[in-house]
Amino acid sequence: MDVSPREAEVLELVGDHLSNAEIAARLFISVRTVESHVSALLRKLDVPDRRALAGRAAASRHAAGAAHAAPVLPAPLTSFVGRAGERAELTAMITKYRQVTAVGPGGVGKTRLALTVAADASAAFADGAWFVDLVLVTDPGMVADAVAAALGLGEQPGRGMDGSVAAALADRHALLVLDNCEQVRDGVALFLERLLPACPRVAVLATSRARLMVPFERAYEVPPLSLSDDAVALFKERATAIGWPLDPPLHDHIRSICERLDGMALAIELAAARYPTLGLDGLTAALAQPLRTLTGGSRADDRHRSVRAALDWSHTLLEPADRELLRRVSVFVAPFTASAAAEVAGADAVVVADGLARLAEQSLLAVRASPGGTEYRALETIRQYGTERLTEAGELAGARTRHLRWCLARAAGLAAAGADWRPRFDAVADDLRAALAWAADEPDHRAAAHDLARHLAELAFTRNLVGESQQRYEQAAALAADPAAAAAMLRHAAAVAGCRMHGDDAYRLHRAAADAAAPSGDAARAAADLATAATTVYRFSGTFVRTPSPGETLALIAEARGPDGADPAARAAVALAEAASVADAFGADQDPHADVVAETLARAERAVDLAHGTGDPPAESAALDALAAVQSWVGDAFAAAATARRRVTLLASAPTTPAVTHELVQALGEAAQTGIGVGDLPGARRWARRLADHPSLAEVGHRATSWLLVADALAGDAAGVLTGAVRFLDAWRRSGSPVWPDLEPAVAAVAMVHGLRADRDARHEWDAVLDHFGTSPNRVHGHGAVFDAMRLLHHGRASEALERTAAEPGEVWRWVTWTWLHWYVALRAEATVLAGGPDARARLDGARELTAGNPVASAIVERAGALLDGDPERLLATAVAFDAAGCPYQSARTLVLAGGEHAARGTAALAALGLA
């Protein structure tokens, strides 16, 4: 089947290892549309999962750009043989029950059966079947991350990965295939207990060597292959595939071999791979040797014994050097290259390459071509067998130590990043995690484990795996050799928690950093950590589940004042906490006295000065945020906008760290919002675009695009609004339809644009979204009044616009309307003039004073004045002013208001904007 041009674009971005949300943002389509394209690509290109799809994309790209490229990978699965009855039974079960586990020993064929059944049943699920291979997962807490990676999902700030996956699948009718669950069985069980209640139309087919032991589980025991039919057919098919077809008269001889192997699929495939060198007689003789006695647990099962037997005789027939190589490369959990194998095996690269080729010939390693070179991988059963042999040979510690060194080198190299850093990280991430899991429990490798945890935390943050990044920073803190290093890691972890919008974690980790810093003798740093914990409560209270009480927070500030008051960082942190405390109280005061205003501003400015002296951009940004808040509360919109711009400039040149990222995301939103407030639409749109494109907000498109939608709507960019609205609405619904105050203006802006376009159905849809937010003061007197007035004036309903803006500006809290004050008074003045209000001239005079310095709002006022005075020359001059201010909508509307020949030009300009 042909791949469509849009599917080709999606495939290209999957090859870049972007999540579905990132692809949607790049292509200006919904996440659900991306999911449909990915599902179609999996089917059309005959690959089992997203990892294979990314490999296919990378191989295709490499082939297009190289004269002698590696071939595009075929589907990784060989043909499926037999099992008609099992396929029918298991297919019936997964269409009837929510969670089915295909249970059986390693090598019985669970994965192959599950994949085939999923393909058979996928048509019954509207959103298809999705395959997740958990074989690379070594940490039970990373199950949700593996599922998210397979589905192309990322973590949504404010939720963990479990919650993000559940939110993305909440309205999906899909089959999720979780393969190789046994090594993380507890993690899978916990994940499913959270997922299935939240996703009523999702079914799960798991494969495991043991039941998951969850109440809703239905187990299906996968039997061996039928000896009379399927087992023999499998042997013949595999032997024929390698160029050694078998004659029908040999059926009974093959059957006896398969019987000796108890019909175990893996054992039969290994035997078939040996057929060209041993023949049937040789295979029979090898299998007639006494089997190694196995004891203990499920390994005493006959079927386990048959797989072990097949592996034993395959292993025995290897040359000693190849046996050594097989067991040493078993420490790799992900595909590896010959050069990587040489480093970990501690052997010559040429010798290792030859040995890997021989192991692949014997089906003990799978081999595939990739743009980075030939890669090898052992099936999990064979890898476990190799690890056992490694232990028996007394080489486990040595091999894992070399693997740890290799992982540290890879992690350090990745830290330098590069154009292909995502694929390079994804290729080694599972090995980094496995090496860390081993080293963390080895006292002799504690320092290396700390370094690897730190590297992994940094890389995971860059990869936007923020939940894992926080976890690894905390792990690095626990592995640190001294309290000061532990405190540094905890501060990074706190910053990541802030990016995740987990205020409780950020608060806890700042306090933990203080506890770690104190024993190191750094009382000043501990004081700064305590003060920062208190500041977090004031600045990000909306991200807390349990907000600390005012008494608890003030007690932290008091404790932070105690130690070395001469330390610049401590003084700056305490000053900021005090300023934030005062500003918090000030912001709740509708009518503060002049001396309170002066004191609050002075405290915020002192905090900025002290923070600037530390040379720490995040600390200075936090202080500037406090200052901007006070400036906005006192109604000084221009000062607040200047402070917000100063924050963005400061952070733009700072090295990218979790703390800088946390501050920058907030600063960009503040700069866009304050820019709108003072009529700087070009600047507001520039900062809002940077916010929309910020990688940390890829999974929360509604938050990313909110201010861009507002700025585009005010400028009159209908195309931009309609495109951005798709991403906003899709992400908002996937996130559970949150009613954060910062989202409300965006919803109102989109509804207004649909109103300008006279698209009633679309406007009603967005009005219904707006109703989720309730009737807030901002909706009544702030953005709601502004957007309603713009829509009404656009359609010539000046009297209704005047009624909508009846409230005097002074009657409304300035902290509610400060962004919208200039727009409100300007539109109110225009409505008064166009409606023939008797106090039009007085309102114009007042509006001129209030909007002075705002290029758009002052031009609206001047246009109204020109209309009142009947001055066409002055009126047309405002069109030029609007164009200069980056507001083509108001420029076009000016021409319409001018009438005559100008009106036709204005109507054409509105049509070009998509607003006619």
Side-chain angles (χ1 to χ4, degrees):
M1 287 182 283
D2 293 333
V3 172
S4 71
R6 176 63 89 185
E7 288 170 347
E9 291 179 307
V10 171
L11 178 61
E12 179 80 8
L13 296 174
V14 169
D16 289 335
H17 292 227
L18 270 62
S19 71
N20 289 343
E22 290 170 319
I23 295 172
R26 190 78 61 89
L27 299 180
F28 303 105
I29 56 179
S30 72
V31 171
R32 189 148 206 167
T33 302
V34 175
E35 291 172 352
S36 297
H37 288 316
V38 171
S39 180
L41 286 165
L42 291 171
R43 184 180 66 257
K44 290 181 178 182
L45 299 181
D46 195 20
V47 293
D49 55 29
R50 194 182 184 92
R51 185 186 293 263
L53 194 62
R56 173 67 67 90
S60 298
R61 184 183 306 152
H62 188 71
H68 302 287
V72 175
L73 294 176
L77 300 177
T78 51
S79 60
F80 187 78
V81 177
R83 292 198 184 273
E86 293 95 319
R87 288 172 67 173
E89 291 175 15
L90 193 51
T91 300
M93 287 184 71
I94 63 173
T95 56
K96 183 177 181 180
Y97 302 112
R98 295 283 311 283
Q99 198 271 300
V100 178
T101 305
V103 180
V108 76
K110 301 184 297 295
T111 298
R112 301 295 301 279
L113 178 62
L115 278 170
T116 304
V117 167
D120 292 343
S122 61
F125 294 87
D127 293 303
W130 299 87
F131 181 76
V132 184
D133 189 356
L134 297 177
V135 72
L136 303 180
V137 182
T138 55
D139 181 348
M142 296 289 291
V143 170
D145 298 74
V147 174
L151 272 60
L153 305 174
E155 180 179 323
Q156 297 178 357
R159 287 186 167 137
M161 195 62 89
D162 281 11
S164 298
V165 172
L169 297 179
D171 63 343
R172 299 297 193 260
H173 182 213
L175 173 64
L176 197 60
V177 182
L178 303 182
D179 193 33
N180 292 295
C181 296
E182 54 272 356
Q183 79 277 12
V184 285
R185 191 171 54 156
D186 291 343
V188 173
L190 183 59
F191 171 74
L192 292 180
E193 286 175 350
R194 294 171 177 169
L195 177 79
L196 292 177
C199 307
R201 298 202 302 155
V202 169
V204 175
L205 172 59
T207 75
S208 178
R209 298 189 183 190
R211 289 186 58 194
L212 302 179
M213 304 303 290
V214 288
F216 42 79
E217 179 183 33
R218 294 285 179 149
Y220 177 82
E221 185 158 345
V222 179
L225 290 168
S226 165
L227 294 174
S228 61
D229 195 2
D230 292 346
V232 175
L234 177 63
F235 188 101
K236 287 182 175 181
E237 198 278 340
R238 297 298 184 259
T240 300
I242 56 177
W244 291 81
L246 290 149
D247 296 330
L250 299 175
H251 182 282
D252 290 342
H253 199 160
I254 297 170
R255 186 184 186 284
S256 68
I257 292 172
C258 294
E259 185 176 13
R260 191 75 181 93
L261 297 172
D262 292 321
M264 297 294 283
L266 175 60
I268 291 169
E269 296 205 21
L270 290 172
R274 283 289 181 184
Y275 168 67
T277 55
L278 294 179
L280 295 182
D281 291 339
L283 287 173
T284 302
L287 292 172
Q289 299 300 316
L291 299 179
R292 177 174 301 181
T293 302
L294 303 178
T295 58
S298 62
R299 283 179 52 193
D301 186 285
D302 284 343
R303 286 173 291 165
H304 278 103
R305 189 175 293 128
S306 63
V307 174
R308 169 57 72 91
L311 289 170
D312 277 345
W313 56 255
S314 284
H315 184 265
T316 300
L317 292 171
L318 295 175
E319 294 295 326
D322 290 347
R323 294 180 205 164
E324 179 182 87
L325 180 60
L326 179 65
R327 62 179 182 259
R328 290 187 177 183
V329 298
S330 68
V331 297
F332 287 104
V333 297
F336 56 89
T337 62
S339 61
E343 286 187 54
V344 172
D348 178 76
V350 175
V351 173
V352 166
D354 288 343
L356 292 173
R358 287 190 294 272
L359 292 173
E361 289 171 0
Q362 303 302 328
S363 295
L364 293 168
L365 292 179
V367 59
R368 71 179 190 182
S370 75
T374 303
E375 291 182 339
Y376 301 87
R377 180 182 178 186
L379 294 175
E380 181 63 11
T381 300
I382 295 173
R383 196 179 73 81
Q384 291 178 4
Y385 177 86
T387 303
E388 291 176 9
R389 287 292 190 170
L390 201 58
T391 303
E392 291 171 3
E395 299 175 352
L396 183 63
R400 290 209 179 278
T401 298
R402 290 190 296 273
H403 182 244
L404 175 62
R405 285 200 299 266
W406 180 84
C407 287
L408 278 168
R410 299 289 82 70
L414 280 170
D420 61 342
W421 65 269
R422 283 183 182 229
R424 289 191 297 128
F425 170 75
D426 290 351
V428 299
D430 291 305
D431 274 299
L432 302 185
R433 294 165 182 141
L436 177 57
W438 174 76
D441 292 330
E442 298 292 323
D444 292 342
H445 296 290
R446 188 179 183 89
H450 167 76
D451 289 342
L452 186 54
R454 177 174 54 82
H455 280 309
L456 190 50
E458 294 166 354
L459 293 166
F461 185 79
T462 304
R463 186 65 177 84
N464 210 20
L465 301 173
V466 285
E468 181 177 7
S469 178
Q470 180 183 327
Q471 173 192 348
R472 300 306 178 189
Y473 274 124
E474 293 193 56
Q475 188 175 14
L479 292 166
D482 63 85
M489 293 297 100
L490 289 167
R491 290 180 200 112
H492 285 310
V496 177
C499 294
R500 300 177 68 205
M501 297 177 65
H502 286 205
D504 304 78
D505 275 0
Y507 178 75
R508 168 182 63 83
L509 290 163
H510 279 305
R511 296 202 64 173
D515 292 341
S520 69
D522 193 350
R525 184 64 259 190
D529 289 325
L530 289 174
T532 303
T535 302
T536 298
V537 177
Y538 292 118
R539 293 184 68 201
F540 307 111
S541 60
T543 67
F544 279 75
V545 175
R546 188 202 71 84
T547 307
S549 67
E552 179 181 340
T553 309
L554 292 173
L556 281 182
I557 299 174
E559 185 179 352
R561 290 192 194 103
D564 186 4
D567 180 82
R571 288 176 60 212
V574 170
L576 174 57
E578 292 174 336
S581 172
V582 173
D584 187 63
F586 172 76
D589 188 350
Q590 297 183 40
D591 189 22
H593 297 295
D595 56 344
V596 175
V597 171
E599 179 190 353
T600 307
L601 278 169
R603 282 181 177 273
E605 288 167 348
R606 178 173 179 272
V608 171
D609 290 340
L610 289 173
H612 179 71
T614 67
D616 181 8
E620 185 175 354
S621 171
L624 287 169
D625 182 38
L627 176 59
V630 176
Q631 290 167 334
S632 69
W633 281 326
V634 301
D636 194 344
F638 294 101
T643 301
R645 293 195 299 270
R646 182 176 163 188
R647 283 184 75 194
V648 173
T649 301
L650 168 73
L651 295 165
S653 58
T656 301
T657 65
V660 168
T661 297
H662 188 208
E663 289 292 326
L664 181 58
V665 166
Q666 195 207 26
L668 287 170
E670 186 175 87
Q673 184 179 10
T674 55
I676 289 168
V678 298
D680 181 11
L681 290 184
R685 296 176 78 184
R686 184 171 62 253
W687 294 309
R689 169 52 63 191
R690 286 181 59 186
L691 185 68
D693 292 340
H694 200 283
S696 70
L697 300 183
E699 303 301 325
V700 280
H702 49 306
R703 182 182 173 202
T705 60
S706 58
W707 287 112
L708 183 60
L709 288 170
V710 173
D712 282 350
L714 290 169
D717 182 1
V721 171
L722 298 180
T723 299
V726 172
R727 182 182 176 195
F728 180 99
L729 191 59
D730 181 55
W732 181 73
R733 286 172 173 163
R734 286 189 302 110
S735 296
S737 305
V739 290
W740 304 331
D742 279 356
L743 301 180
E744 191 178 5
V747 178
V750 178
M752 186 268 291
V753 167
H754 286 304
L756 298 182
R757 289 164 51 84
D759 187 338
R760 289 188 176 184
D761 291 342
R763 183 188 156 203
H764 287 329
E765 179 186 7
W766 283 87
D767 281 343
V769 174
L770 193 57
D771 287 342
H772 279 77
F773 292 81
T775 307
S776 67
N778 249 319
R779 184 174 179 184
V780 175
H781 301 295
H783 62 77
V786 167
F787 289 131
D788 283 349
M790 285 181 64
R791 175 178 55 80
L792 293 167
L793 289 168
H794 179 86
H795 292 296
R797 296 154 63 183
S799 297
E800 292 175 64
L802 181 59
E803 184 179 348
R804 183 67 180 86
T805 55
E808 293 292 336
E811 296 174 2
V812 186
W813 288 9
R814 279 181 294 186
W815 73 268
V816 171
T817 63
W818 68 269
T819 299
W820 305 102
L821 178 63
H822 295 170
W823 295 87
Y824 181 89
V825 297
L827 292 167
R828 185 172 185 259
E830 179 179 318
T832 305
V833 169
L834 293 176
D839 54 349
R841 199 164 298 281
R843 285 194 174 180
L844 281 171
D845 291 340
R848 283 193 184 95
E849 182 179 349
L850 276 169
T851 62
N854 183 317
V856 180
S858 61
I860 292 174
V861 174
E862 285 306 309
R863 182 176 64 194
L867 289 168
L868 182 63
D869 296 338
D871 188 338
E873 187 174 339
R874 236 172 80 211
L875 177 63
L876 292 173
T878 63
V880 177
F882 285 126
D883 285 330
C887 191
Y889 166 69
Q890 293 294 352
S891 175
R893 190 162 176 278
T894 299
L895 297 176
V896 172
L897 289 171
E901 63 182 272
H902 304 295
R905 289 171 47 217
T907 301
L910 288 173
L913 291 171
L915 296 172

